[in-house]
Amino acid sequence: MTLQRLFPTLVYQGHLKRNGWQAFNNRLLRECLQLRADDAAGRQWSAGNYPGGYTSYNSVSRMHRVSPTFAELERRLRKHVDSFVSTLQFDLRQRELAMTDCWVNIMPRHVVHGLHLHPLATISGTYYVRTPKGCPGLKFEDPRLERFMAAPPRLPHRGSEGLPWKVIPAQAGELLLFESWLRHEVPPNPVAAERISISFNYSWF
Ligand SMILES: [Fe+2]
């Protein structure tokens, strides 16, 4: 008998390993907090669309174009993206996969980032700047969920592979990459300290 596992959903986990990543991370942290202080339009948009939190998604969404520190983050992410794309076997010989968006998310206590995907993008991801102990990870939903018409629940002791969702813990200095159609959310932050991340999109068209 042979069982084949078809059509896997891949999520890439990496770390900014190069020496000095913590000093670099501190520069990113300072800029994230400064951006929130300076970005009145973003704070106003967040009040209506990201209650209790701050995101520059709708105001300063190309940080890699306006900040040398974020431009360096883009350079440091490149090898990870190249590796992921290679594993996905994307044929990009004729087109370049380029970062199109890069924005800041700050989640104080009780803030949630509901289930969503990233339209008009190919690869998306998050880099974690500050992850206080007990803060939520990133929860991914099984992309086949809407087709589970008559599937029974899975046995809990079989591990996470059969569950319709998977939470990958957040850790400062680490990054996640995934295909942009994969739905995900950040559950409510239960701790008093702020969870800070930088999200980004890459597109090949
Ligand atoms: Fe997202």
Side-chain angles (χ1 to χ4, degrees), residues 103 116-122 124-125 178 180-181 184 199-201:
W103 66 96
H116 66 283
L117 45 74
H118 292 211
L120 301 177
T122 306
S124 297
F178 47 90
S180 304
W181 47 257
H184 55 281
S199 295
F200 40 82
N201 289 326

Side-chain angles (χ1 to χ4, degrees), residues 61-73:
S61 61
R62 295 185 175 181
M63 283 299 292
H64 58 305
R65 300 277 176 85
V66 299
S67 157
T69 309
F70 281 69
E72 184 177 343
L73 176 65

Side-chain angles (χ1 to χ4, degrees), residues 10 196 198:
L10 304 181
I196 301 180
I198 297 167

